[in-house]
Amino acid sequence: MSTLFSPITLRGLTLSNRIMVSPMCQYSAEDGSATDWHFTHINSLALSGAAMFCIEATHVEATGRITPGCLGLYSDANEAALKPILASLRKHSKTAIAMQLAHAGRKASSARPWDGGQLLPLEKGGWQTEAPSAVPHKEGESAPHAIDDAGLKRVRDAFVAATRRAERLGIDAIELHGAHGYLLHQFLSPIANKRTDQYGGSLENRMRYPLEVFDAVRAAFPDRKPVGVRVSATDWVEGGWDLPQTIEFARALKTRGVDWIDVSSGGVSPLQKIPLGPGYQVPLAQAVKQATGVTTMAVGLITEAKQAEDIVASGKADMVTLARGMLYDPRWGWHAAAELGGEVGAPPQYWRSQPSTQKALFGATSFGAR
Ligand SMILES: Cc1cc2nc3c(=O)[nH]c(=O)nc-3n(C[C@H](O)[C@H](O)[C@H](O)COP(=O)(O)O)c2cc1C
């Protein structure tokens, strides 16, 4: 029996396996609205065999977008653009749909990766960014504005408004983006947060704003639907955010009803030194799970079925989430199920692809011809 292909329940949502398609920005939106590319991308990966697909970082304000091409959910037009895509997905796939809600803070106003990914100046279509403190991400870059109290309220309200739109769209779960050096992570990390008010200084103060946003999102989303948080468990920089602080943050989230912690790392400082290798972030997920008992997702260079099976079967994490591996092999979940003796849902149009040695791969299917 495969553990990877055994069910897991997140609040009122039961998933048939423990695989999520990790959120992946496509930099292909127009004014925050999804385009035909999203139709292709989302519908393709909704057939990966993963029980949950997480929509890319979806920004709650236009100025919170990483790039001018990033997805948003701050306008009626943004909401309307996602509707037909989700309707198509629901018609052809049983995958649960999560959405990652995000604000890029000082890492907003960047060029798309294929245009170099650097800070976009105002004269090239960029905009003034905001962050916990007026400290640029990279030395030599123009500084963000430090968010004042009114700004904190505005951004928190924007998270709530986007949550309500997500609910209207029928999204099954929300993941708050608290990782990769974006706004909520900037509050957590002493590298980006130099505030002297109640939102800066001590760990308790640095956690305050992300926890307020979590509470506000949690309260705005139906009780039966799960809300998770993606964290960077360490900045990989001496004196930065680290695993013991992440564990405290996870504990605080647990008391507030978080449904999962998706454990990533890095992103707040160009000085980070990341020890890349297969499953390199799994020990971080394992430590969070062991210390807090919170449901965890492991992510990062998980590419092989047996590797994923080992992570969940050994209890290092409760779920795995894959990004690049899914782009490379958009039927990753099917292939993993075939290798591990699991079962995945597939649309009837594709049933005939079932290998002759894997008659139970798609469950009870039957088809005929004359
Ligand atoms: C094209 C691309 C876009 C990404 N966009 C996001 C994003 O929107 N939100 C996020 O939290 N991580 C994002 N990531 C990071 C992935 O979700 C994942 O954490 C990372 O790629 C490591 O997993 P992998 O080794 O399976 O690719 C992105 C990664 C890629 C390759």
Side-chain angles (χ1 to χ4, degrees):
M1 276 297 291
S2 158
T3 308
L4 190 64
F5 286 91
S6 67
I8 184 167
T9 298
L10 307 167
R11 202 171 275 252
L13 179 67
T14 296
L15 305 174
S16 58
N17 63 50
R18 288 144 183 269
I19 310 165
M20 180 171 91
V21 178
S22 200
M24 278 181 279
C25 292
Q26 297 299 296
Y27 315 101
S28 301
E30 285 167 13
D31 295 327
S33 293
T35 62
D36 59 334
W37 175 255
H38 292 90
F39 192 96
T40 301
H41 167 73
I42 292 175
N43 277 292
S44 161
L45 288 185
L47 301 180
S48 72
M52 187 147 78
F53 171 86
C54 189
I55 297 177
E56 68 193 78
T58 305
H59 298 92
V60 301
E61 289 197 312
T63 52
R65 289 172 301 162
I66 307 167
T67 75
C70 278
L71 194 64
L73 192 50
Y74 47 78
S75 72
D76 291 347
N78 295 163
E79 190 178 328
L82 277 168
K83 225 172 161 176
I85 298 175
L86 295 174
S88 171
L89 185 160
R90 293 295 194 197
K91 197 168 158 194
H92 302 296
S93 165
K94 291 196 172 59
T95 188
I97 312 167
M99 172 181 270
Q100 190 184 51
L101 290 183
H103 191 297
R106 67 179 188 174
K107 283 176 85 174
S109 186
S110 300
R112 291 172 178 82
W114 50 81
D115 293 327
Q118 299 307 301
L119 181 70
L120 266 183
L122 299 182
E123 61 280 10
K124 291 201 170 143
W127 57 88
Q128 176 62 52
T129 62
E130 287 175 296
S133 306
V135 181
H137 176 71
K138 238 177 165 171
E139 222 182 283
E141 286 179 345
S142 62
H145 284 165
I147 305 186
D148 59 11
D149 284 347
L152 291 175
K153 180 177 182 316
R154 191 197 75 234
V155 172
R156 196 170 47 231
D157 289 350
F159 271 100
V160 169
T163 301
R164 297 214 170 101
R165 289 185 188 277
E167 163 57 10
R168 276 209 293 273
L169 285 166
I171 296 295
D172 299 307
I174 283 179
E175 178 174 273
L176 264 190
H177 202 339
H180 302 169
Y182 298 117
L183 185 73
L184 300 181
H185 181 188
Q186 288 161 28
F187 272 91
L188 295 172
S189 174
I191 292 175
N193 184 344
K194 305 289 182 194
R195 294 176 80 98
T196 52
D197 63 1
Q198 57 171 338
Y199 294 104
S202 67
L203 173 61
E204 190 187 352
N205 281 358
R206 281 179 282 121
M207 295 194 315
R208 192 180 309 277
Y209 189 65
L211 291 174
E212 283 178 9
V213 171
F214 176 82
D215 286 344
V217 166
R218 182 58 277 175
F221 207 45
D223 255 4
R224 66 181 192 287
K225 294 190 177 184
V227 177
V229 177
R230 175 167 270 199
V231 296
S232 278
T234 169
D235 289 341
W236 301 115
V237 178
E238 193 72 34
W241 180 253
D242 56 16
L243 184 58
Q245 296 178 81
T246 301
I247 288 169
E248 287 312 309
F249 185 48
R251 283 204 177 106
L253 286 166
K254 188 183 180 185
T255 63
R256 288 164 159 81
V258 78
D259 295 296
W260 75 81
I261 307 277
D262 178 355
V263 187
S264 190
S265 73
V268 96
S269 166
L271 304 176
Q272 64 189 14
K273 297 224 163 19
I274 306 184
L276 280 177
Y280 69 104
Q281 293 172 148
V282 174
L284 301 170
Q286 185 180 7
V288 171
K289 183 173 155 63
Q290 267 173 5
T292 66
V294 177
T295 298
T296 52
M297 295 183 182
V299 64
L301 290 176
I302 300 168
T303 53
E304 309 306 317
K306 288 200 173 74
Q307 179 194 15
E309 174 69 19
D310 171 65
I311 291 165
V312 292
S314 62
K316 291 183 181 127
D318 298 287
M319 291 183 65
V320 293
T321 173
L322 279 77
R324 289 164 293 184
M326 287 284 180
L327 295 183
Y328 192 67
D329 175 5
R331 303 277 181 270
W332 192 91
W334 296 18
H335 301 145
E339 195 176 327
L340 300 170
E343 186 184 308
V344 280
Q349 292 93 331
Y350 286 1
W351 279 354
R352 290 177 69 184
S353 69
Q354 191 166 259
S356 58
T357 52
Q358 300 281 342
K359 291 290 187 209
L361 183 60
F362 300 150
T365 58
S366 71
F367 40 87
R370 61 185 286 267

